[in-house]
Amino acid sequence: MRAELIDGKAIAATIRDEVAVEVAALTARGVVPGLTVVLVGDDPASATYVGAKEKASVAAGMHGETIRLPATTTQAELLALVERLNADPAVHGILVQMPLPRHIDPDTVIRHISPDKDVDGFHPVNVGKLLIGHTDGFVSCTPAGVIELLVRSGVDTRGAEAVVVGRSNIVGKPMAALLVQGRAGGDATVTVCHSRTRDLAAHTRRADILIAAIGRAEMITGDMIKPGAVVIDVGMNSVADASRASGRRLCGDVHFESAVQVASKITPVPGGVGPMTIALLLRNTVQAAARTLERASAAVG
Ligand code: NDP
């Protein structure tokens, strides 16, 4: 039996509709949520992502702005811009698009973004809150999107064996931290695998929920998947394909055709995790805006 597809496009559209409702409510209270994206340099893939983020934020009724800086921008100039955005009350969310040019240290930039405006969820304060289980921080958008996919597809994570392949700070580690939390979309028994893992397949074959965030095209094959498992493919890889006019196609870290024969549910690439990342970025920005109102009324009260 072929696995059921988890439709990330449809679930992301639902979240974007929910966000638009919240944006309208905040706007009525005098706060238009604002997201500022900073792009340094002219990497074409980054320019595409940034354009999509601005478009999605404007479509949701927010104020979306992109600041484009030349690749020659110094770290000091970028930090000065971040400080200015930190102080600007019309800016609720700040996102500095990665990767940055090599002469700029990404960790230094991330640490300069106010944790209250860090809608990417990369600041150490927000990472710490995620680990502790506090819900007043921001969670990295891609793993937060995966949890939404699971919850909204009716996947019960409680007590499940969840195996995350990949331990990056933006996907693998926060993914594991979310799955282990004692709340909806959590309570799983989590294993994290990486390039030093011995016998990867022995781990993936135990997984009721398998999450691939590796960056290796079609590396997880059907024989590495437990029959009936839920498979979430975070990977986005561009591979050569002579049958396409462009000569390339996008594929995940999971070999879809063999996996779909074994899994019970699976995300496609494209149309799975990808659309969720922007939807969760918008939701984080709305939360950031809502919290300014909460802080203002707490200060008055
Ligand atoms: P990274 O390259 O930062 O991390 C990849 C991880 O995979 C590392 O932890 C690495 O291990 C592990 N790994 C690499 N090779 C193997 C192997 N042979 N066996 C086991 N583990 C291995 O990637 P990201 O986490 O940033 O991204 C992962 C994928 O997700 C990429 O395809 C990326 O394009 C995609 N992505 C998609 C997004 C979306 O919106 N859909 C958003 C972000 C990422 P080690 O740590 O030991 O090196």
Side-chain angles (χ1 to χ4, degrees):
M1 207 178 72
R2 274 177 83 86
E4 188 187 315
L5 287 191
I6 297 179
D7 187 346
K9 247 171 127 172
I11 295 173
T14 304
I15 293 175
R16 281 156 72 151
D17 288 347
E18 291 166 6
V19 165
V21 170
E22 288 179 55
V23 171
L26 284 167
T27 304
R29 295 177 68 192
V31 177
V32 182
L35 172 66
T36 298
V37 179
V38 181
L39 175 64
V40 187
D42 45 19
D43 175 59
S46 295
T48 308
Y49 297 144
V50 160
K53 286 166 187 172
E54 182 177 340
K55 217 171 119 189
S57 51
V58 172
M62 298 184 189
H63 180 68
E65 179 195 24
T66 303
I67 300 177
R68 292 178 171 79
L69 300 174
T72 50
T73 303
T74 65
Q75 178 163 306
E77 285 167 340
L78 180 58
L79 296 181
L81 171 65
V82 168
E83 294 296 348
R84 183 167 71 67
L85 296 173
N86 281 344
D88 184 343
V91 176
H92 302 101
I94 302 170
L95 184 155
V96 179
Q97 184 66 39
M98 302 291 164
L100 288 165
R102 276 144 75 114
H103 63 276
I104 300 178
D105 175 40
D107 287 336
T108 303
V109 176
I110 290 166
R111 281 167 192 268
H112 268 75
I113 297 172
S114 162
D116 294 334
K117 298 190 178 190
D118 166 43
V119 285
D120 247 346
F122 294 168
H123 191 286
V125 166
N126 285 319
V127 176
K129 284 183 175 178
L130 165 63
L131 270 183
I132 294 166
H134 291 181
T135 52
D136 63 341
F138 295 108
V139 179
S140 178
C141 302
T142 301
V146 171
I147 296 293
E148 287 294 331
L149 285 179
L150 292 172
V151 169
R152 291 177 191 239
S153 306
V155 176
D156 190 0
T157 54
R158 275 173 307 171
E161 290 283 342
V163 174
V164 180
V165 189
R167 58 173 166 184
S168 72
N169 288 335
I170 63 164
V171 189
K173 282 182 197 159
M175 189 73 255
L178 282 166
L179 285 163
V180 86
Q181 295 302 322
R183 55 176 181 251
D187 282 324
T189 303
V190 184
T191 302
V192 182
C193 300
H194 45 78
S195 67
R196 302 297 173 101
T197 296
R198 252 183 276 137
D199 198 354
L200 179 66
H203 293 283
T204 60
R205 282 193 201 111
R206 281 192 299 103
D208 302 313
I209 300 170
L210 177 60
I211 297 173
I214 315 164
R216 299 272 184 279
E218 300 178 331
M219 200 188 99
I220 304 288
T221 45
D223 59 317
M224 297 169 76
I225 296 169
K226 177 177 169 179
V230 174
V231 177
I232 306 288
D233 189 354
V234 181
M236 284 210 299
N237 311 288
S238 169
V239 294
D241 184 345
S243 71
R244 303 285 172 102
S246 65
R248 302 201 73 76
R249 79 184 153 89
L250 190 66
C251 73
D253 292 341
V254 175
H255 183 263
F256 186 83
E257 273 316 316
S258 58
V260 77
Q261 313 289 340
V262 187
S264 61
K265 292 179 196 248
I266 189 167
T267 56
V269 177
V273 175
M276 297 298 289
T277 300
I278 291 188
L280 271 289
L281 173 67
L282 300 182
R283 196 167 82 180
N284 279 352
T285 305
V286 163
Q287 272 174 6
R291 286 176 192 159
T292 61
L293 276 181
E294 285 162 22
R295 281 195 294 270
S297 55
V300 171

